[in-house]
């Protein structure tokens, strides 16, 4: 038992060391290729990410907002709670805790899975070697645009998810209580604080870096010529991206508690 735990710990420490080395290669900024090309590549990735994640973001956000309003309206009706109690729950539970996690899951499956597989195929078919012969580091040409795209696209997607959840919540509130849109907006404003926006900003940064780095690393770790364990590579990369994105979100929540 002790030996198995030791082997598991050593394997994960070695993997963390390899990931640290990969991160170091990513941010040797002296060898960046043409910046105009990097910008075009990043914009292409932003388009792919938003196209894959936006429809589900709108749908899940609307459903979650309505669900949370429904969950809170019943007990509060018996306890005498008002609109402020519903909007406070929406801000703290839905927007600060659940929204980042759900958006992360949507991006992992809508963009992360295809990114891991695309990079793995390129690595296995020796396309990375072609870039090296041309004097272009694959980490910069293939990884940095995808990281930049996630950093750009995730915060707006998180904001859209939150806004759509408020729409779904208001429809449920209106059905049960008849409160006006203005009263709902005023109640949201009364319960929102500056630290909520700061927490969301830091969560967006942590989620973006976690999701992009671990999915990209999963594609880069494939051996040249070997896609035999493709499903294992894909599942490990997505699991790491999910785990570290949730961890970063929880750490930000703990810090701003």
């Amino acid at each position: 038992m002790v030996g198995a735990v030791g082997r598991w710990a050593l394997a994960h420490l070695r993997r963390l060391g390899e990931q640290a080395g990969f991160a170091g290669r990513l941010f040797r900024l002296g060898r960046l290729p043409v910046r105009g090309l990097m910008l075009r590549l990043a914009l292409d990735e932003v388009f792919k990410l938003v196209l894959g994640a936006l429809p589900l973001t709108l749908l899940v956000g609307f459903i979650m907002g309505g669900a949370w309003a429904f969950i809170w309206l019943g007990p509060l009706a018996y306890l005498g709670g008002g609109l402020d109690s519903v909007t406070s729950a929406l801000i703290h539970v839905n927007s600060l805790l659940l929204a980042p996690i759900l958006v992360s899951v949507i991006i992992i499956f809508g963009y992360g899975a295809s990114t891991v597989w695309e990079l793995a195929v390129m690595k296995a078919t020796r396309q990375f070697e072609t870039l090296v012969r041309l004097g272009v580091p694959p980490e910069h040409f293939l990884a940095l645009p995808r990281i930049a795209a996630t950093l750009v696209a995730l915060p707006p997607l998180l904001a859209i998810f939150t806004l759509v959840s408020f729409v779904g919540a208001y429809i449920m509130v209106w059905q049960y209580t008849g409160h006006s849109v203005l009263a709902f907006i005023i109640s949201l404003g009364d319960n929102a604080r500056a630290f909520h926006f700061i927490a969301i900003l830091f969560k967006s940064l942590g989620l973006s870096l976690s999701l992009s780095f671990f999915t990209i690393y999963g594609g880069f770790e494939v051996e040249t010529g070997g896609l035999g364990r493709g499903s294992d590579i894909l599942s490990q990369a997505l699991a790491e991206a999910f785990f570290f994105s949730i961890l970063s979100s929880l750490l930000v929540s703990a810090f701003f508690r």
Side-chain angles (χ1 to χ4, degrees), residues 2 25 32 37 43 46 54 63 86 112 135 141 155 167-168 175 208 215-216 218 222 239:
V2 175
R25 294 195 301 275
L32 275 175
L37 176 60
L43 290 176
V46 169
L54 184 59
I63 292 173
V86 176
F141 190 77
V167 173
Q175 288 287 335
S208 302
T215 52
I216 289 166
V222 178

Side-chain angles (χ1 to χ4, degrees), residues 42-228:
L43 290 176
D44 287 342
E45 294 300 322
V46 169
F47 177 77
K48 287 166 55 179
L49 194 159
V50 172
L51 185 66
L54 184 59
L56 201 54
T57 299
L58 293 171
L59 177 62
V60 176
F62 183 82
I63 292 173
M64 286 304 300
W68 272 105
F70 178 78
I71 289 170
W72 280 92
L73 280 170
L76 289 172
Y78 290 104
L79 297 174
L83 181 61
D84 285 344
S85 300
V86 176
T87 54
S88 177
L90 285 170
I91 291 172
H92 287 87
V93 180
N94 183 64
S95 302
L96 282 180
L97 297 179
L98 286 181
I101 294 173
L102 292 173
V103 172
S104 299
V105 172
I106 291 169
I107 291 178
I108 285 172
F109 289 102
Y111 177 74
S114 61
T115 297
V116 173
W117 192 246
E118 180 184 9
L119 292 172
V121 170
M122 293 178 70
K123 178 77 178 294
T125 54
R126 300 180 183 276
Q127 295 181 49
F128 282 25
E129 295 179 8
T130 303
L131 289 175
V132 172
R133 291 193 196 101
L134 293 173
V136 179
E139 292 85 0
H140 294 165
F141 190 77
L142 299 173
L144 286 182
R146 288 167 170 81
I147 292 175
T150 312
L151 284 168
V152 169
L154 192 146
L157 286 173
L158 186 54
I160 289 170
F161 184 99
T162 302
L163 290 175
V164 171
S165 73
F166 288 157
V167 173
Y170 172 70
I171 291 175
M172 190 62 64
V173 168
W174 176 73
Q175 288 287 335
Y176 275 86
T177 67
H179 284 291
S180 67
V181 175
L182 182 59
F184 184 76
I185 294 173
I186 291 173
S187 181
L188 283 174
D190 290 341
N191 285 283
R193 300 291 182 267
F195 83 90
H196 293 145
F197 298 98
I198 297 172
I200 287 291
L201 177 63
F202 277 96
K203 283 194 175 190
S204 298
L205 179 61
L207 292 171
S208 302
L209 292 175
S210 300
L211 293 175
S212 57
F213 178 82
F214 289 102
T215 52
I216 289 166
Y217 176 78
F220 268 74
E221 73 165 338
V222 178
E223 296 296 331
T224 301
L227 276 178

